[in-house]
Each structure stands twice: as C-alpha cells, then as structure tokens.
Amino acid sequence: MDRVLLRRLEGGGAELRDRADGGGVTRVGADEVAGAVAAREGAGVRWVWDDTTRWYPALLAAGVRVERCTDLRLAHAVLRRSPFVDRSLLTGADTAGWDALAPAETGDAALFPLDDPADALDPAAEDDRQQAALAASPQGGRLALLVAAESSGALVAAEMTAAGLPWRTDVHERLLTDLLGPRPAPGLRPAELERLAGQVRSALAAPDLNPDSPAELLRALQTAGLPVGDTRSWTLERLEHPVVAPLLEYKRLARLLAANGWSWLDTWVRDGRFRPTFLPGGVVTGRWASHGGGALSVPTAVRPASVADQGWRLVVADVAQLEPRVLAGMSGDAAMAEAARAADLYEGMVAGGAVATRAEAKLGILGAMYGGTRGESGRMLPRLARRYPRAIDLVEQAARAGERGEVVHTLLGRGSPQPTGAWAQRPLDLGEAPEETGPRADRDRERRAWGRFTRNFVVQGTGAEWALCWLADLRNRLWRLGDGAPAERPHLVFFLHDEVVVHTPEALAPAVAGEVRAAAVTAGRLLFGGFPVDFPLVVSVVGSWADAG
DNA sequence: CTGACTTGCGCC
DNA sequence: AAAGGGCGCAAGTCAG
C-alpha cells in the first residue's frame, strides 16, 4: 500500500509526496487538489495528512471519497499517551504544536484560516517519528491497528456530517405541537407548560413561582414543608404531594422544549438533515465526542422525526451489552464468554448459575465496571468474582493501579491520562486509620474517584476500540455494496458508542443488515483473535429511527 | 453587561 | 465506613 503525504502549500495548493524511498513529488494548485486525490485514489493508497478535519470536508464537497488515511493529529494523541511508546521517539521541534493541535471547527473548505497553527507543523517529520515509534514499540501491531481504526473513524465522522441524519421538520413540529401546544412567541411559555406551571404554583401556594428556577423551586418546596435538598426528578418522585405529578410533567416537557424544541430545529436542521459534528477521540477513553445539537443525547421522544427518504430505509443496529462482552474478551474470562454466548448476556449469567436474576446480573456487572459498590451491586461482587475471576480481577487491578497514580491502558494500547491531583504525589496511606473529614479524607476520596475512572477506562476504552473496528469495516463493506455517486450508496449517518444508523436505498437494506453483522464479527476477531466472545446485534430495518429496537 | 460556574437531565 | 464511569447542552446564578 502506497503511503502518500498531503501537505498544504502557500496559496492553497497542495503537495503529494510518495513516502516510499525515492518516491515522487507532485504539486497542484488549489482547484486541482480534489482531482489529484481522486486520480490517485483508484490505485490503492493511504493518504497521510495532518488532520482529517482540515482535508476531508472539502474533498467530500468535491465528490471525492478516500478509502484510507493516517490522521497524524489523532495518531499523535494516541501515541503520546500510550505506555507502549517510547516518548523520546516522538519528540521533535514541533511536538508541542502537535500536542496542542485542535480539530478544525468549520467544514467549509473555502474558509481555510490564514493563520492555521497546523501550517506551522511539518507532517513529514511527524510521520517519520510516528513510524519510528510504532516500529520500536513492543505492542506496535496493536497500536498500528488502533491508529488505523482511529483514522478510519475520522473519515467516517466527516462523511456522516456531510451526509447528515435524515430529519423531518414537519414530523418534529407536529410532535412538539401535540405535546406543548402551538409554537409560542419568543420569551413566552407554550400553552401546556403555562397550564402545568399554574398547577405547580397553586399546589405550592406560590403564585409568583418560576418553576424554571431551581433555587426558587427549592425554596417553594421547602416552604410547603417538603423534605428536599434539591429539585431533581428522582428526588421528587419519592414524595407524596399534589405538586409532584404536575411538576414532573412540567420538567419533562420543559426539558423537551429547551433541548429539542423549535429553536433546536431552527439551529440544527437544514434541508432535511441533522448535521452534528462528530469528534473522534474527543473523549480520553477513545469514545467520540460531538459538537452541535446534542448528538450524544438525541432523546427517544424526538426520534420519530428521523425518517428515511422516499425509497430509502434506515438500518439501525446496536450491540447488546457491548462493554461486559468486551470485558470478557480482554480478560480472557472463559466463563463470562460462555455467558456472552447468549443474545442477552445477563440471562446468560443467570443460566450459568452466577446469579439468580437478570436484574442482579446487570446491577452486579455495571457496579463492577463503574466502581459502584454500594447497596445491592456491591453485594453481588463477591459472587461475580468467584464465577468470573479473570474479568473481575481485570477491573479491580485497573482500579488499584489508578489509586496508586499509575497509568492504565486499553487492549490496543490507549493510555489513561496521568492524574494531576495532590493525592497522586503521595503514596498510599496503607494501615493508617481512615478519617471522616480533613485533607487526608479528601485525598482518599479523590484517589478512589480516580480508581473508578481507571477501572472504567479500560472497559469503556476497549469498547470504543471495538466500535471503531466495527465502524471501519462496515464503512468499507457499505462502499462495496453500492455503486454510483456517494449520495446514491448506502452510507453511515449516525454513530453513538455502540449503535449505528445506515441510510440505504430500500432494495439494499437486507444486504446492509447482513454487512452490519459481518462487520461486528470482524471487529471481534480483530480485537480478540480466536477467543470465543460473541457480539450479537439488534438490527432493525425501519422507516423511522423510533421504530428500531 | 459578560463570562464562568452550577444545576439538572438527556444519551451510552 | 463509604465508595456510580463517560459526555453536551440550556437555563439559572453569581462574581467582576
């Protein structure tokens, strides 16, 4: 596979430099870049560029899709934190610049900022350093897979923003009107919220109360004699009082209005598409972050508005219990992998005799992965540890390492951040009597909190790696499935941790469903080789996202 | 007034 | 004895 480095030239042109020994160099003008990339693409090439967000949106806008790339920005971020990398091999004159490089904010190709810090960096030198670091790493193979998957994720992210999630404004508006009443004038409450606010005020005998103000609301609740310290819904649910029902309903609808109401539609939906920006590697664990429109929490209440185009379908797929399955795989825990043979891993745990009920299984596993040891989830832990010793030991070791201030890593080698708190500079106070309050009690609390973070990091991060491999393989499978222009082929339109949505011509929907499953098998093999852990999917072919599941 | 922080809640 | 991971967003709150 040829590796070809792309770099920007002053004036908007670009240089294409073959990375092989004696490789050629081509320079093209600004309006020839897309054509030059397209011409080279057919022959099989991996593009090496500083940052996908700085190259790919313009290529996509010009109708050019690339199959492979190395995203030096994302690769740098992975390698500099990995415990399997010799940091000195990554160090160069502009290392600080690579450390600080942020993704480009705008996808508008015409708006290359004149003083982009990326233009002060040397991508060829950085590529050399990364290749050297990978070659010298005892885990170079895993890291290379991670870098490739991360880079492929960057391509997917740009393609999903370009395509957009199909979104029907008319359906969304009807839904809002049914629940809230007609769209009010700016600054006014919709009729239904005003009605509920009135009920809340009279139930609390607080005629001037603004229920949107947590402080006012808390005072009014306390004045009415209710024993509450905050105004969260789950706190209110436990009260017996006439205000509870209208207040909970008010909060539910006010939330819908604020997060996904008419102004959300105005801001984020254009031309029948919702186009959030996805930020691969945006979370330290390796999960994606997002920007714009709250793409990480599209409430189920508005999903009916995501409707496939005429003659098209949505293929919605999610992995059941991704993280426990990943834990089984990465720990090599045969008993847990056996439970994971079931479509429902928690039922598999019941069938295996580890616990009595599905609810116990779920509570216990989530507690083990998050560090929740209070109440019932804590009582489950010893039984799980007996039945699934390797899985539980893996997360316990990660927690202990974090508490010692050590770095932990995912299966493919992504490292956790170094802790910065004062507690991390001090050794563990083993054997000293615990205290209720004071600076040492604070340090211990922070230490345990960091242990919960590292405990979760190894599982969440490896789950993110599985999902990246799934996405990358699925992207290639979808491309091979269709023909014609990118917009006429099945394509990914949404991704959220363990769920994908593909927009596809109706005739190809069954084939897409098959490829989604096949890609999940590939991802499992890539991460866990022959170790037998299954990743069953729930796949739906639907007209609307809301009908999935 | 702006900007930073807090509160609360949606998703996984 | 106590101990629940990761995000983004909007509105309210508060300091300067």
Side-chain angles (χ1 to χ4, degrees):
Chain A
M1 179 66 55
D2 292 338
R3 304 177 81 248
V4 178
L5 183 88
L6 260 181
R7 73 191 306 171
R8 284 177 299 282
L9 299 174
E10 278 186 48
E15 177 187 278
L16 288 69
R17 179 180 293 265
D18 208 304
R19 295 297 283 156
D21 286 341
V25 179
T26 311
R27 296 185 173 199
V28 296
D31 53 357
E32 303 165 319
V33 176
V37 169
R40 193 71 194 261
E41 179 65 25
V45 59
R46 182 181 294 276
W47 299 100
V48 180
W49 54 38
D50 54 1
D51 178 8
T52 304
T53 68
R54 286 173 165 84
W55 286 99
Y56 203 28
L59 292 173
L60 287 169
V64 177
R65 184 250 192 201
V66 309
E67 186 159 355
R68 298 178 191 82
C69 79
T70 293
D71 184 304
L72 294 171
R73 176 180 66 87
L74 291 171
H76 180 88
V78 165
L79 296 177
R80 68 189 279 250
R81 266 208 183 128
S82 175
F84 301 136
V85 167
D86 177 351
R87 292 278 294 274
S88 71
L89 295 174
L90 277 180
T91 304
D94 55 5
T95 295
W98 288 100
D99 288 351
L101 189 60
E105 287 288 323
T106 172
D108 190 333
L111 294 179
F112 267 139
L114 294 175
D115 54 350
D116 186 345
D119 292 335
L121 304 175
D122 180 352
E126 174 65 18
D127 186 39
D128 288 341
R129 291 192 293 267
Q130 293 187 7
Q131 293 297 310
L134 284 170
S137 170
Q139 296 290 348
R142 290 180 177 195
L143 281 171
L145 173 59
L146 177 53
V147 165
E150 189 91 336
S151 298
S152 185
L155 297 176
V156 171
E159 289 166 4
M160 291 199 307
T161 301
L165 179 66
W167 205 271
R168 284 270 296 273
T169 303
D170 58 328
V171 174
H172 192 140
E173 283 178 337
R174 192 160 60 242
L175 187 153
L176 292 175
T177 305
D178 288 349
L179 289 168
L180 297 165
R183 180 174 193 167
L188 294 182
R189 282 194 182 87
E192 180 61 13
L193 277 180
E194 201 53 66
R195 189 185 70 81
L196 290 163
Q199 291 189 5
V200 170
R201 291 188 189 110
S202 59
L204 292 175
D208 299 322
L209 173 66
N210 168 18
D212 293 322
S213 164
E216 271 187 54
L217 183 57
L218 182 60
R219 278 193 297 273
L221 290 166
Q222 290 169 339
T223 303
L226 291 166
V228 291
D230 59 63
T231 65
R232 294 187 181 97
S233 291
W234 69 268
T235 302
L236 303 173
E237 274 165 18
R238 295 176 303 190
L239 302 174
E240 288 272 354
H241 191 279
V243 77
V244 172
L247 182 51
L248 288 175
E249 182 68 357
Y250 181 91
K251 284 162 108 31
R252 189 178 72 84
L253 293 178
R255 168 76 194 174
L256 173 67
L257 173 68
N260 297 97
W262 290 278
S263 58
W264 181 89
L265 272 173
D266 292 346
T267 309
W268 298 113
V269 178
R270 243 187 304 279
D271 304 325
R273 295 288 187 268
F274 170 42
R275 299 175 193 274
T277 305
F278 296 92
L279 298 169
V283 180
V284 288
T285 59
R287 274 189 174 180
W288 291 15
S290 77
H291 180 62
L296 264 52
S297 57
V298 181
T300 55
V302 298
R303 293 186 188 184
S306 182
V307 178
D309 290 351
Q310 192 72 36
W312 288 59
R313 302 288 274 172
L314 298 177
V315 178
V316 182
D318 68 87
V319 197
Q321 305 112 21
L322 172 61
E323 288 176 0
R325 293 171 192 277
V326 161
L327 175 57
M330 67 191 298
S331 64
D333 191 299
M336 196 158 169
E338 172 64 32
R341 220 92 73 213
D344 182 331
L345 174 131
Y346 302 130
E347 292 292 2
M349 291 170 63
V350 174
V355 289
T357 66
R358 184 182 189 282
E360 285 182 348
K362 182 172 181 176
L363 215 62
I365 285 293
L366 292 180
M369 293 191 307
Y370 292 160
T373 51
R374 185 168 50 174
E376 202 174 348
S377 84
R379 286 201 295 280
M380 288 300 133
L381 198 58
R383 283 155 66 187
L384 294 182
R386 269 198 304 280
R387 184 75 180 136
Y388 308 116
R390 298 184 66 153
I392 300 302
D393 186 59
L394 188 145
V395 288
E396 290 292 327
Q397 293 295 340
R400 299 292 93 79
E403 289 171 358
R404 291 190 299 268
E406 297 168 8
V407 163
V408 298
H409 63 86
T410 61
L411 183 67
L412 296 186
R414 191 187 303 265
S416 63
Q418 291 275 358
T420 55
W423 63 268
Q425 317 311 323
R426 306 172 61 98
L428 273 172
D429 297 331
L430 289 173
E432 293 187 38
E435 295 173 6
E436 296 280 330
T437 59
R440 206 176 83 218
D442 290 344
R443 282 203 302 274
D444 288 346
R445 228 185 332 276
E446 289 174 39
R447 187 188 295 284
R448 285 192 299 270
W450 193 259
R452 289 193 295 277
F453 166 65
T454 53
R455 170 195 294 269
N456 187 252
F457 179 95
V458 295
V459 182
Q460 185 184 120
T462 306
E465 288 165 353
W466 184 93
L468 274 180
C469 291
W470 184 39
L471 263 190
D473 191 50
L474 176 58
R475 172 177 182 267
N476 291 330
R477 289 171 179 274
L478 292 177
W479 186 254
R480 293 196 293 267
L481 210 52
D483 50 25
E488 292 159 15
R489 298 167 179 248
H491 53 271
L492 284 152
V493 290
F494 195 79
F495 166 63
L496 183 58
H497 308 324
D498 61 1
E499 176 176 13
V500 297
V501 181
V502 176
H503 195 211
T504 178
E506 188 157 18
L508 290 174
V512 167
E515 300 296 358
V516 168
R517 293 185 190 283
V521 173
T522 303
R525 296 238 171 85
L526 278 171
L527 259 67
F528 308 116
F531 188 77
V533 57
D534 293 341
F535 292 88
L537 304 181
V538 179
V539 183
S540 310
V541 178
V542 291
S544 164
W545 190 8
D547 299 328

